[in-house]
Amino acid sequence: MAARIAGFDRRVADEPDSRAAAVAITIAEQDGRHGIWLTKRPATMRRHAAQYALPGGRLDPGEDHPTAALRELHEEIGVALPGESVLGMLDDYPTRSGFVITPVICWADDSHVPDPNPDEVAQLFFVTFEELMVEPRFLTIPESDRPVIQLPIVGALVHAPTAAVIYQFAEVVLRDRHTRVDGFEQPVFAWR
């Protein structure tokens, strides 16, 4: 996995009016199976309520993307990882809500047990690598000529930007394919 991530030539988005954000794609092991943690945000959240998301958020002043992703991982699901746990980053994903999300891939050994913050996480999922190999769905919407991506995982449909980021992770890390996802659209409800 580390070699595939290191061999990936990631794209950086140049969006000067956007706010920088980072998400943590954390490779972990549970019951002898590898996977990643995914959250469902509480319905009471001010922004993106009840949406599926990777632990993450905007960068604080002076932070780089890996530092922000690790901070958010700790704040949201109670997993504190050192900087050495970062394996690399995937393509930036500009969102309709004014952010550029940088996915940061990190590794957590089996000593890290999540303890979700109920103010940030309504539900925590461990999505196995096998589940991540699902084929995405693509929809058309009248508001955009780009296809909307959905991933049928965790008994629901996960939408972009989270679906796009997870799909790129599966393509690059699990399938060893350098797939780009910046051409995938978000559903209209995520544009705010």
Side-chain angles (χ1 to χ4, degrees), residues 73-89:
L73 179 70
H74 185 240
E75 289 175 5
E76 291 183 24
I77 68 169
V79 172
L81 297 177
E84 307 82 67
S85 68
V86 173
L87 302 176
M89 296 182 283

Side-chain angles (χ1 to χ4, degrees), residues 23-30 33-40 52-56 73-74 76-81 106-116 121 123-129 132 153-154 162 166 169:
V23 294
I25 303 175
T26 308
I27 301 169
E29 187 176 341
Q30 186 173 303
R33 301 169 79 188
H34 285 97
I36 64 170
W37 289 306
L38 177 69
T39 71
K40 184 171 185 182
Y52 294 93
L54 293 161
L73 179 70
H74 185 240
E76 291 183 24
I77 68 169
V79 172
L81 297 177
C106 45
W107 179 271
D109 63 34
D110 58 6
S111 69
H112 294 89
V113 178
D115 182 21
V121 178
Q123 199 169 0
L124 180 66
F125 302 91
F126 183 77
V127 188
T128 67
F129 283 178
L132 294 177
I153 56 176
V154 300
T162 302
I166 291 173
F169 171 81

Side-chain angles (χ1 to χ4, degrees), residues 159-184:
H159 299 89
T162 302
V165 169
I166 291 173
Y167 178 63
Q168 187 174 49
F169 171 81
E171 286 287 282
V172 172
V173 178
L174 305 181
R175 294 185 178 104
D176 198 18
R177 298 194 293 223
H178 290 207
T179 301
R180 303 298 177 182
V181 296
D182 57 352
F184 296 146

Side-chain angles (χ1 to χ4, degrees), residues 8-27:
F8 180 67
D9 185 22
R10 83 178 205 95
R11 289 186 184 165
V12 176
D14 183 20
E15 304 273 336
D17 295 330
S18 295
R19 292 164 290 191
V23 294
I25 303 175
T26 308
I27 301 169

Side-chain angles (χ1 to χ4, degrees), residues 45-127:
M45 299 282 297
R46 193 169 42 92
R47 294 181 60 106
H48 308 294
Q51 291 183 20
Y52 294 93
L54 293 161
R58 68 176 73 180
L59 273 63
D60 284 345
E63 278 186 323
D64 61 11
H65 294 95
T67 303
L70 293 176
R71 175 182 51 76
E72 291 284 350
L73 179 70
H74 185 240
E75 289 175 5
E76 291 183 24
I77 68 169
V79 172
L81 297 177
E84 307 82 67
S85 68
V86 173
L87 302 176
M89 296 182 283
L90 296 176
D91 288 347
D92 287 349
Y93 186 91
T95 72
R96 292 282 191 158
S97 59
F99 289 91
V100 173
I101 298 172
T102 300
V104 177
I105 303 171
C106 45
W107 179 271
D109 63 34
D110 58 6
S111 69
H112 294 89
V113 178
D115 182 21
N117 176 349
D119 294 333
E120 305 246 12
V121 178
Q123 199 169 0
L124 180 66
F125 302 91
F126 183 77
V127 188

